[in-house]
Amino acid sequence: MKASEIRAKWLQFFEEKGHKIEPSASLVPHNDPSLLWINAGMAPLKQYFDGRVIPENPRIANSQKCIRTNDIENVGKTRRHHTFFEMLGNFSIGDYFKEEVITWAWEFLTDKKWIGFDPERLSVTVYPEDEEAFRFWNEKIGLPAERIYKLEENFWDIGEGPCGPCTEIFYDRGDKYGDLSDPECWPGGENERFLEVWNLVFSQFNHNKDGSYTPLPSKNIDTGAGLERFASILQDVDSNFDTDLFRPIIDRTCEIAGVTYKSNEEQDVALKVIADHIRTVVFSVGDGVMPSNEGRGYIIRRLLRRAVRYGKKLGVDRPFLYELTSVVGDVMGVYYSEVVEKREFIERVIRTEEERFHETLSDGLAMLSDIVASAKSAESTIIQGADAFRLYDTYGFPFDLTEDFAAEHGMTVDREGFDAEMELQRERGRGGRRETESMKVQGGPLSEYTDKSEFVGYTDLITDSQIKGIVLGDAFVQEAGEGSQVLVLLDRTPFYAESGGQIADRGTITGDGFELRVENVSKAPHGQTVHHAVVVSGTAKAGATVQSAIDKSAREDIIKNHTATHLLHKALKEVLGDHVNQAGSLVETDRLRFDFSHFGSVTAEELAEIERKVNEQIWLGTDVDISNKSLAEAKAMGAMALFGEKYGDVVRVVRVGDYSLELCGGCHVRNTSQIGLFKLLGESGIGSGVRRIEAVTGRHAYTYYEEQVELLKQSAALLKSGVADVPKRIDGLNAQLKELSRENESLQAKLSRIEAGSLESQAVKAGEVTVLCAKVNAPSMDALRGIVDELKPKLGASVIVLGAVADDKVNLAAAVSADLVKKGFHAGQIIKQAAIVCGGNGGGRPDMAQAGGKDITKLDEALKVAEELVVNRANVI
């Protein structure tokens, strides 16, 4: 049975059991800063489990793409470790419980219509105190007691929040995978024979802050099954990597590398690692994560580089991973259309990153050469574990590559020290997970509040309302006096709750003898609008009739900015390409901010074209049409769904003529002419592959232009010219500056020759290498480089490192002659080590480099470090 069939059967089975099928969420958690990645099927549903939001249907099922990287070193070496995998899940939010979920699990696994496992091959584990689960398995399902194992670890608990016992279902793969005489060969033991295929978690307790456990007001079911594991059993293959989820990727890699799968164990590990990591990278980039040096981007960069290194083990010394993107799309695109639709963009990102890493590898080898040279000069034959780990962490060097290089130079590597550093990193990661993964405890005054609240703010800015509830502190109250900060629930409201990047409305709620100032608006667990307000006068009373009014001026500014973001999104796609997708937005009263995926900078000409296109739509005066459609109908129309957003069965479609079509729950102008004017303020990169545009509209755009005109007038006054003559006047001043600069350069060149002449005598010999590391007087980096250039032809086979203090900071410059570059000397690496001493950084080419530092008191020490580094290396070549 194909993996795609297994996934389809899972979703069909639970749909027939009344579950709503949730599409797989993005790998990037939405509105959940506690998680780096979506790492389980229930992760995107946490808001339902902790009671923040009440689902329309308490029965949910999904097939969720997930990432876990805590056991990365095991990938490729075991049958089932992956960084990217699919978790099949079914969930009950306060609906069915143990009996139903156990019954359905058995039906799905054993009925030939579905999976069709032999019932005699199935065993389960339960929590020892969970007699209820034991009874259901034994008495209702008919599973013999000897195939029901009681394990203390069968209790799911990640800290404060929902928790409870669980039951795991195991499939016996037969004698081929283990001998029953082995004491570990049983369900739950360390063996390959009994494969866990499904875990059913019964969330029935709250883990409280004080460590105690209390029953949940609403009991939940959370289950998880591995698609890859199901596939390995049903396709009767040795490991997950032999299923149809991985073999096409492995086979294509074999073609590229010219190797054969299952002919060499070391090659097989490399092929499996590549197949696993490329799936993770493709899906992550498809969800907007770009390789970078921090957070999710760092993990993706590390995985990609790890795959590149394993490619080198197979003899592939060129970028090749990007070629596997289409294979991943062929395998997974039937359910995850994004890896097909974004293929070209994903390929471009991966190829660019591969090319960069091939360059980085040479830098790492140079650093390793310096480490070896330093160790030899200290008469040591060991590379320290900390140095090996730094190479691994900074340059992506695997331990075995460092070992191979060391062996070539008659040295060994401190494996224990490396492992200790690796374990420290893992502990830091585990500590971070323990601290952030717990969910909020169910409850709160709004968790049981179910009265409806009608939002009328799309059309009405003022409305008559009735106060249905007032929350003061943690309880509903009948009244609240002046100065109280309260939560107010109304039967109908014009106030928009912050969502989709649009900020919440502000305004007033006025009743007989009292007034409240609304400062923020949010959503309650059951979807009602919650007004965060201060009683500014009188006493607010529950049940009172009030007038609710939003700040009309602020709303008008907001809707101009919001509709402008839709026009901007479309203009970006037209100018930069269809790969552009929204990665975040902020719609305020005085500005808009729009983040989007784009690999590369945006030129001034492109920005001008984007701005022109948006303003053209404004000047056309196009009507904005808003309608409610089914999700399927909206997608058929071509409406854009936004990054990270979750949509119901009925969606709100915002159409701007024939130009823009998006799903959006926000507030908009009725006609684009109401926006008035659109002006870009700036564009910048905020992360690898993510750009940000800031802009203003309407009166704020007019104010911006007025400020620019005033600045131009002030500039003209300073230049003693008319506004129209400012460019001409600046051209004249630039010409004068160029002439003065030429005179200054001529004088500086003379000074450099004088300074260089006085330095030649300070050079020392180290073997056949001339070494000059000296402190000089140079007012700028240009001047410092000038002195280096004067010295290079005079010193022959040489390494020059000069330092100077200018403007209370350190400038460093280094040069290596061409013949010494060929022998492994690298100016960039030398200057980097010297700069670190001064509290700075820098680098450059093997023949020429420069750096800066903050601590001028450490300049002499930095030059000494550079000299020792060069001398040590010179003595071993």
Side-chain angles (χ1 to χ4, degrees):
M1 190 184 297
K2 292 182 179 179
S4 58
E5 294 178 74
I6 300 168
R7 186 195 298 117
K9 282 179 179 288
W10 177 278
L11 299 176
Q12 181 187 348
F13 177 83
F14 284 105
E15 189 170 33
E16 291 183 7
K17 300 297 184 186
H19 291 62
K20 179 184 179 184
I21 305 304
E22 285 274 352
S24 179
S26 167
L27 287 164
V28 180
H30 182 55
N31 290 334
D32 187 357
S34 71
L35 288 178
L36 193 64
W37 299 104
I38 291 298
N39 58 7
M42 61 77 61
L45 310 177
K46 278 169 63 174
Q47 58 184 351
Y48 301 143
F49 280 87
D50 61 28
R52 282 173 287 163
V53 176
I54 308 301
E56 293 179 8
N57 185 340
R59 298 182 179 189
I60 298 169
N62 66 6
S63 180
Q64 174 62 47
K65 53 188 177 184
C66 304
I67 288 180
R68 293 181 188 174
T69 59
N70 48 310
D71 291 319
I72 187 175
E73 296 302 325
N74 292 323
V75 173
K77 298 174 183 176
T78 70
R79 287 178 167 93
R80 282 172 289 280
H81 272 97
H82 303 296
T83 56
F84 174 90
F85 61 97
E86 282 184 81
M87 186 174 286
L88 306 171
N90 64 289
F91 312 91
S92 168
I93 316 299
D95 187 38
Y96 61 82
F97 203 48
K98 293 181 187 178
E99 182 174 8
E100 293 90 343
V101 73
I102 288 173
T103 303
W104 292 339
W106 189 258
E107 179 186 352
F108 181 74
L109 292 175
T110 60
D111 192 322
K112 287 184 168 42
K113 177 183 177 183
W114 306 109
I115 297 299
F117 284 158
D118 179 356
E120 296 301 315
R121 286 179 173 259
L122 296 175
S123 303
V124 302
T125 59
V126 297
Y127 185 58
E129 298 176 23
D130 192 357
E131 292 297 334
E132 190 178 26
F134 184 95
R135 188 173 68 254
F136 286 137
W137 280 120
N138 183 233
E139 297 177 9
K140 178 158 188 180
I141 300 303
L143 199 63
E146 60 268 22
R147 299 217 316 264
I148 306 174
Y149 298 78
K150 295 182 177 182
L151 296 180
E152 285 290 341
E153 57 263 33
N154 273 38
F155 194 91
W156 187 83
D157 189 352
I158 58 171
E160 186 186 354
C163 61
C166 64
T167 182
E168 296 171 329
I169 307 173
F170 289 82
Y171 180 83
D172 182 356
R173 301 206 71 187
D175 295 339
K176 178 182 176 182
Y177 294 93
D179 189 336
L180 292 176
S181 63
D182 183 344
E184 280 294 322
C185 195
W186 58 281
E190 291 294 327
N191 66 86
E192 293 289 346
R193 176 166 178 162
F194 291 94
L195 180 60
E196 180 197 337
V197 293
W198 203 342
N199 186 15
L200 317 179
V201 179
F202 314 127
S203 297
Q204 61 189 90
F205 302 108
N206 260 338
H207 184 161
N208 303 314
K209 286 185 178 180
D210 61 6
S212 64
Y213 294 84
T214 53
L216 284 173
S218 176
K219 293 178 173 59
N220 304 317
I221 288 294
D222 162 21
T223 88
L227 175 65
E228 295 83 4
R229 294 189 179 201
F230 272 133
S232 70
I233 296 171
L234 293 169
Q235 294 171 20
D236 192 22
V237 292
D238 181 65
S239 77
N240 293 356
F241 291 99
D242 297 302
T243 67
D244 64 342
L245 290 165
F246 289 90
R247 273 305 297 266
I249 306 171
I250 290 174
D251 291 344
R252 176 65 182 125
T253 307
C254 286
E255 291 176 14
I256 293 170
V259 299
T260 303
Y261 184 45
K262 294 196 172 179
S263 64
N264 176 289
E265 185 175 348
E266 187 177 351
Q267 285 184 354
D268 286 353
V269 170
L271 290 165
K272 291 172 182 177
V273 170
I274 291 167
D276 172 87
H277 289 6
I278 192 60
R279 289 186 357 137
T280 311
V281 172
V282 166
F283 272 89
S284 300
V285 174
D287 279 348
V289 180
M290 299 294 108
S292 68
N293 287 327
E294 59 185 14
R296 299 181 189 93
Y298 173 72
I299 291 173
I300 295 311
R301 172 165 284 168
R302 182 183 172 203
L303 290 175
L304 194 149
R305 291 182 171 189
R306 198 165 184 267
V308 168
R309 294 197 316 267
Y310 275 96
K312 282 184 171 289
K313 284 178 175 283
L314 299 175
V316 184
D317 289 317
R318 63 171 180 83
F320 75 99
L321 291 173
Y322 73 95
E323 297 178 29
L324 301 176
T325 301
S326 59
V327 186
V328 176
D330 292 341
V331 174
M332 307 295 286
V334 64
Y335 190 69
Y336 300 100
S337 60
E338 65 269 23
V339 295
V340 176
E341 294 166 356
K342 300 178 181 179
R343 181 179 64 82
E344 290 185 8
F345 176 66
I346 296 170
E347 284 181 347
R348 181 182 173 194
V349 171
I350 293 175
R351 182 168 188 170
T352 300
E353 185 66 18
E354 282 190 271
E355 291 170 347
R356 287 176 179 171
F357 183 47
H358 278 279
E359 296 172 5
T360 302
L361 274 174
S362 60
D363 291 340
L365 284 169
M367 181 179 176
L368 186 52
S369 298
D370 291 337
I371 291 170
V372 169
S374 295
K376 285 189 173 182
S377 68
E379 299 183 350
S380 172
T381 60
I382 300 173
I383 293 176
Q384 296 302 310
D387 288 332
F389 179 77
R390 185 154 48 93
L391 278 165
Y392 170 80
D393 200 42
T394 305
Y395 292 102
F397 262 57
F399 183 83
D400 55 0
L401 183 60
T402 303
E403 257 188 336
D404 292 344
F405 189 90
E408 292 171 6
H409 291 79
M411 303 182 73
T412 59
V413 187
D414 172 19
R415 179 77 204 213
E416 288 186 6
F418 176 85
D419 288 343
E421 293 286 340
M422 181 69 77
E423 185 57 32
L424 283 174
Q425 186 188 65
R426 287 176 180 149
E427 277 298 321
R428 287 191 292 270
R430 284 194 287 266
R433 285 191 295 278
R434 283 195 294 269
E435 185 176 314
T436 62
E437 284 188 357
S438 62
M439 294 191 293
K440 296 180 181 178
V441 177
Q442 289 182 355
L446 296 177
S447 63
E448 301 300 321
Y449 183 82
T450 57
D451 287 4
K452 298 295 183 183
S453 173
E454 181 187 5
F455 174 65
V456 297
Y458 289 135
T459 55
D460 300 335
L461 306 186
I462 301 175
T463 187
D464 291 332
S465 311
Q466 183 184 35
I467 296 180
K468 303 295 288 184
I470 300 174
V471 177
L472 179 61
D474 291 326
F476 277 96
V477 297
Q478 288 301 305
E479 58 183 44
E482 186 173 322
S484 299
Q485 292 188 329
V486 294
L487 304 179
V488 177
L489 296 121
L490 305 173
D491 62 340
R492 62 200 314 263
T493 178
F495 286 88
Y496 181 85
E498 183 170 352
S499 178
Q502 179 179 325
I503 64 169
D505 286 321
R506 307 292 190 265
T508 59
I509 299 173
T510 308
D512 185 12
F514 66 88
E515 181 179 339
L516 298 99
R517 182 176 67 248
V518 178
E519 297 181 336
N520 196 13
V521 189
S522 63
K523 288 288 187 181
H526 288 271
Q528 305 94 333
T529 301
V530 181
H531 307 79
H532 301 245
V534 176
V535 183
V536 294
S537 64
T539 300
K541 297 179 180 180
T545 299
V546 294
Q547 184 183 75
S548 303
I550 67 171
D551 182 333
K552 181 181 177 183
S553 176
R555 169 67 83 83
E556 287 177 347
D557 287 338
I558 289 170
I559 62 176
K560 290 172 184 175
N561 285 334
H562 201 155
T563 307
T565 63
H566 285 221
L567 300 177
L568 173 61
H569 194 181
K570 179 63 175 179
L572 286 164
K573 284 181 173 289
E574 286 186 331
V575 175
L576 302 180
D578 286 335
H579 66 273
V580 168
N581 281 300
Q582 180 174 333
S585 70
L586 178 64
V587 179
E588 296 185 309
T589 53
D590 57 347
R591 66 177 179 132
L592 66 91
R593 188 181 74 206
F594 191 82
D595 300 339
F596 59 97
S597 56
H598 180 60
F599 205 70
S601 59
V602 184
T603 67
E605 292 76 17
E606 288 170 332
L607 287 172
E609 179 68 4
I610 290 163
E611 184 177 86
R612 183 187 65 78
K613 282 180 173 290
V614 174
N615 278 306
E616 278 185 350
Q617 293 302 315
I618 293 170
W619 300 330
L620 285 172
T622 306
D623 285 338
V624 178
D625 176 70
I626 299 175
S627 58
N628 292 318
K629 304 284 185 182
S630 70
L631 183 58
E633 187 180 359
K635 287 183 176 179
M637 293 168 64
M640 280 193 289
L642 300 187
F643 173 82
E645 291 291 337
K646 295 179 75 69
Y647 298 98
D649 294 331
V650 177
V651 294
R652 194 163 175 266
V653 180
V654 178
R655 179 196 288 275
V656 183
D658 295 326
Y659 190 69
S660 169
L661 186 66
E662 292 192 20
L663 305 184
C664 181
C667 305
H668 292 274
V669 299
R670 293 182 299 278
N671 185 283
T672 58
S673 63
Q674 291 177 254
I675 300 172
L677 187 63
F678 174 85
K679 177 60 187 172
L680 288 175
L681 298 183
E683 186 274 341
S684 62
I686 59 170
S688 183
V690 181
R691 312 292 298 180
R692 170 171 292 173
I693 277 179
E694 296 196 52
V696 287
T697 64
R699 62 192 178 97
H700 297 285
Y702 172 78
T703 300
Y704 173 80
Y705 277 116
E706 283 293 293
E707 290 171 350
Q708 299 306 301
V709 170
E710 182 58 31
L711 284 173
L712 183 57
K713 289 178 180 178
Q714 291 176 17
S715 300
L718 290 171
L719 292 167
K720 296 182 172 57
S721 72
V723 168
D725 295 326
V726 166
K728 182 179 178 181
R729 182 79 176 101
I730 290 174
D731 283 342
L733 289 173
N734 280 335
Q736 293 177 34
L737 284 172
K738 285 181 181 178
E739 182 59 34
L740 290 172
S741 179
R742 279 194 291 270
E743 292 177 10
N744 183 60
E745 287 174 3
S746 176
L747 291 171
Q748 189 61 56
K750 291 178 182 178
L751 290 172
S752 295
R753 285 193 291 274
I754 295 169
E755 186 79 30
S758 67
L759 288 172
E760 289 181 57
S761 60
Q762 297 182 36
V764 298
K765 276 284 187 178
E768 298 179 358
V769 180
T770 300
V771 184
L772 175 58
C773 297
K775 182 178 179 180
V776 299
N777 292 314
S780 67
M781 182 61 80
D782 286 342
L784 189 63
R785 286 199 304 267
I787 299 172
V788 172
D789 289 339
E790 284 291 327
L791 286 165
K792 281 164 62 177
K794 298 177 181 180
L795 297 182
S798 61
V799 177
I800 304 167
V801 182
L802 301 183
V805 175
D807 299 324
D808 291 325
K809 65 179 181 180
V810 174
N811 287 332
L812 293 163
V816 176
S817 57
D819 51 344
L820 294 184
V821 169
K822 294 177 181 178
K823 293 183 178 181
F825 287 89
H826 193 293
Q829 291 296 324
I830 296 167
I831 206 79
K832 184 174 184 178
Q833 297 302 315
I836 289 172
V837 176
C838 299
N841 209 336
R845 305 190 309 270
D847 63 322
M848 188 70 187
Q850 67 183 47
K854 300 173 184 177
D855 191 347
I856 62 175
T857 66
K858 296 291 183 68
L859 177 56
D860 291 333
E861 183 182 343
L863 292 168
K864 185 177 179 182
V865 165
E867 184 174 7
E868 289 176 353
L869 196 66
V870 176
V871 170
N872 289 338
R873 180 157 184 76
N875 289 332
V876 297
I877 62 171

